[in-house]
Amino acid sequence: MKERTTELVDGLRHSVPYINAHQGKTFVILLTGAVLKSNNYASIISDIGLLHSLGIKLVIVNGARNQIDESLKNHNIQPKYHKNTRITDASTLEIVKQITGLLQLNITASLSMSLNNTPLQGAHINVVSGNFVIAQPLGVDDGVDYCHTGKIRRINNETIDEQLDRGSIVLLGPVGVSVTGESFNLSSEDVAAEVAIRLKADKLISFCAEQGVLDEQQHVITDLFPVDADNYVNYKEQTGQYLSSEARFLRAASKACRNGVRRSHLVSYLVDGSILQELFSRDGIGTQVSMEHSEQIRLATINDIGGILELIRPLEEQGILVKRSREQLEIEIDKFTIIERDHMTIGCAALYPYPEEKMGEMACLAIHPQYRNSSRGDLLLEKIAERANNLGLEKIFVLTTRSIHWFREKGFNPAEVDDLPIKKKQLYNYQRNSKILMFDLI
């Protein structure tokens, strides 16, 4: 019982910074047809209700590809595609309108549920739909008439913003209306991306069957730049593969990120609570597309002192690191390199140069406990070595009491006090009896 209580408390503490960061922000969530058919759909709706209760402004865009294909099959109508885009003739359009209308009603009903003993108990969510998306014909391509398949002409983003400011969830489907009163079948991914761009949304979120985008070893790729997402989709198209909902979303996410949407997320609809794990934990659970990775290594600034102190204090108390005061850190902050992940310092190291001897001391190497079984230490060592090279240094040395073997594995060799620069030799603490290890840069 105590262990479960500790996990709950730790979870709440770690999620609070994300709750505060997300409050008042706008998220666009794409629920594909596969999500709406999944056994986990009810839980996803509950999680969306939770996001709404935390003060997040939500626009939901629903897809219907799976349901439309199923209905066409039941009506003995063969689906037609050109360049991975559905051709919507008159009979197909009627089915599209029926299916999308029914799905929107079902989603609205799900979000309206506020019975006791349900996750949405007492929520009283107001769901608003309307003619927020103005469409126009996609036209003819390579002699192929897309008929009633359309593209987005305009988004009534001011009206959507008004509804969001009133506390409503805005629900949009993959059908848009035109200025001539016609209806057009749209790509739900395009709708989600365009709405996110026009609303200047903080996040664009969607779901797929896997945990996210997988590499060749079937491991989740946690971070992608837009160019990586584009390359993934281009490869699929060039090899003649059918574009999955995952690939279509990546194309939309790339466009959104290039046009101001800070981050796009792809998580699994089969994993319970995946959207919460992605949004309210430091490491997330799926794939993120953004213009910058969630983790970066950079030179420290005066604003990083608090994070560095929080990281090194436990190691100082254990006697692993020499104690440094805040005042000392303020003076020496330009010597530090840090690894930052979602505004949290998870690694640091310092370089103290001794130019006369062309040597530098690598000191205060610290990695957050959750990330010690990773390559962060190697990254910091590489950055410190690179910085030393740029300063014209030829050797790096360390003084350590606990990490001797780690440094030996990285190519450091034992040295003596007499091998240290003169100023450092004068300050050597014989009571601490640190081991001296040295690395040749040339």
Side-chain angles (χ1 to χ4, degrees):
M1 182 69 178
K2 184 177 180 181
E3 185 177 332
R4 289 179 61 189
T5 302
T6 303
E7 289 178 1
L8 174 63
V9 171
D10 287 344
L12 285 172
R13 285 172 177 166
H14 290 149
S15 64
V16 165
Y18 298 95
I19 293 173
N20 293 333
H22 297 333
Q23 194 171 39
K25 299 295 176 61
T26 300
F27 293 0
V28 177
I29 301 176
L30 172 61
L31 300 180
T32 64
V35 175
L36 302 179
K37 286 171 63 73
S38 78
N39 294 331
N40 205 32
Y41 167 70
S43 295
I44 292 171
I45 287 293
S46 297
D47 291 343
I48 289 173
L50 174 58
L51 296 180
H52 180 264
S53 72
L54 294 174
I56 298 170
K57 299 177 181 180
L58 298 176
V59 176
I60 298 174
V61 178
N62 75 278
R65 189 171 282 104
N66 303 63
Q67 291 81 355
I68 291 169
D69 282 341
E70 187 176 317
S71 183
L72 289 174
K73 183 179 179 181
N74 292 336
H75 285 82
N76 294 317
I77 299 174
Q78 182 66 35
K80 298 176 183 177
Y81 291 89
H82 178 62
K83 294 183 178 178
N84 279 300
T85 300
R86 187 190 301 277
I87 298 170
T88 310
D89 57 22
S91 56
T92 300
L93 178 64
E94 290 306 308
I95 290 174
V96 167
K97 291 195 290 186
Q98 291 172 20
I99 294 296
T100 55
L102 180 61
L103 290 176
Q104 283 197 291
L105 287 172
N106 289 341
I107 294 169
T108 300
S110 299
L111 287 167
S112 301
M113 184 173 61
S114 59
L115 297 174
N116 290 340
N117 301 318
T118 68
L120 292 174
Q121 176 180 337
H124 304 299
I125 298 171
N126 187 38
V127 182
V128 177
S129 299
N131 57 339
F132 301 120
V133 180
I134 307 303
Q136 64 186 34
L138 190 55
V140 179
D141 181 42
D142 291 337
V144 177
D145 188 350
Y146 283 106
C147 302
H148 298 281
T149 298
K151 60 182 178 181
I152 297 166
R153 179 178 181 183
R154 186 173 72 248
I155 303 290
N156 290 330
N157 52 292
E158 292 181 358
T159 310
I160 296 175
D161 273 326
E162 288 175 4
Q163 296 299 330
L164 295 176
D165 289 340
R166 292 172 183 167
S168 301
I169 290 179
V170 173
L171 174 61
L172 306 174
V175 173
V177 295
S178 72
V179 293
T180 59
E182 298 174 276
S183 297
F184 289 96
N185 182 24
L186 305 173
S187 159
S188 57
E189 290 83 8
D190 288 348
V191 173
E194 197 62 37
V195 168
I197 292 167
R198 294 301 302 272
L199 293 179
K200 297 180 173 61
D202 190 64
K203 292 184 183 294
L204 172 62
I205 304 165
S206 189
F207 300 82
C208 63
E210 305 294 343
Q211 292 276 40
V213 181
L214 305 181
D215 61 20
E216 293 179 355
Q217 288 74 43
Q218 300 301 297
H219 298 145
V220 178
I221 302 173
T222 56
D223 284 282
L224 287 174
F225 289 121
V227 66
D228 300 322
D230 290 340
N231 289 339
Y232 179 90
V233 177
N234 290 339
Y235 173 77
K236 294 281 187 182
E237 289 184 323
Q238 289 168 5
T239 54
Q241 298 182 49
Y242 173 75
L243 288 189
S244 62
S245 60
E246 167 191 299
R248 288 190 294 269
F249 176 75
L250 286 179
R251 183 163 56 192
S254 173
K255 178 183 178 182
C257 287
R258 293 179 192 276
N259 286 275
V261 178
R262 188 161 170 260
R263 293 182 179 179
S264 296
H265 303 264
L266 185 64
V267 296
S268 174
Y269 59 77
L270 300 176
V271 176
D272 190 29
S274 60
I275 191 170
L276 302 182
Q277 294 182 65
E278 176 72 3
L279 296 177
F280 297 102
S281 66
R282 191 173 303 114
D283 295 325
I285 191 175
T287 295
Q288 173 180 274
V289 181
S290 66
M291 296 301 289
E292 61 179 26
H293 280 301
S294 56
E295 186 170 311
Q296 58 176 320
I297 184 166
R298 60 174 175 81
L299 295 178
T301 69
I302 200 75
N303 296 325
D304 297 312
I305 289 176
I308 294 173
L309 284 172
E310 187 176 343
L311 183 65
I312 66 177
R313 279 292 180 255
L315 299 175
E316 291 177 347
E317 291 168 0
Q318 296 171 47
I320 297 173
L321 294 180
V322 176
K323 288 189 176 181
R324 287 172 171 79
S325 65
R326 176 178 283 271
E327 292 74 19
Q328 184 181 355
L329 269 177
E330 288 178 358
I331 295 170
E332 300 176 348
I333 193 64
D334 62 318
K335 306 290 192 298
F336 278 78
T337 298
I338 67 167
I339 300 176
E340 183 183 55
R341 186 176 183 86
D342 271 353
H343 308 295
M344 177 182 177
T345 302
I346 65 168
C348 71
L351 175 66
Y352 296 89
Y354 295 86
E356 292 182 4
E357 290 93 344
K358 293 190 175 181
M359 299 172 70
E361 179 186 8
M362 181 177 179
C364 201
L365 175 61
I367 304 294
H368 190 282
Q370 292 182 8
Y371 300 93
R372 284 178 189 160
N373 294 324
S374 67
S375 61
R376 269 74 174 198
D378 295 355
L379 288 173
L380 283 169
L381 177 56
E382 287 176 14
K383 282 295 180 181
I384 292 296
E386 180 184 317
R387 196 173 181 189
N389 267 317
N390 292 337
L391 293 172
L393 307 182
E394 297 177 356
K395 294 178 183 290
I396 296 176
F397 67 88
V398 296
L399 275 64
T400 181
T401 57
R402 304 285 185 92
S403 304
I404 302 163
H405 285 189
W406 187 85
F407 283 107
R408 289 299 308 273
E409 289 173 359
K410 306 306 172 186
F412 283 74
N413 295 309
E416 302 295 334
V417 175
D418 288 339
D419 297 321
L420 296 174
I422 294 173
K423 291 181 180 179
K424 187 63 183 181
K425 186 168 26 176
Q426 293 170 348
L427 297 173
Y428 182 79
N429 186 340
Y430 284 91
Q431 284 188 324
R432 186 171 171 81
N433 195 29
S434 299
K435 299 297 181 182
I436 303 167
L437 299 166
M438 201 162 289
F439 181 83
D440 290 325
L441 292 170
I442 57 173

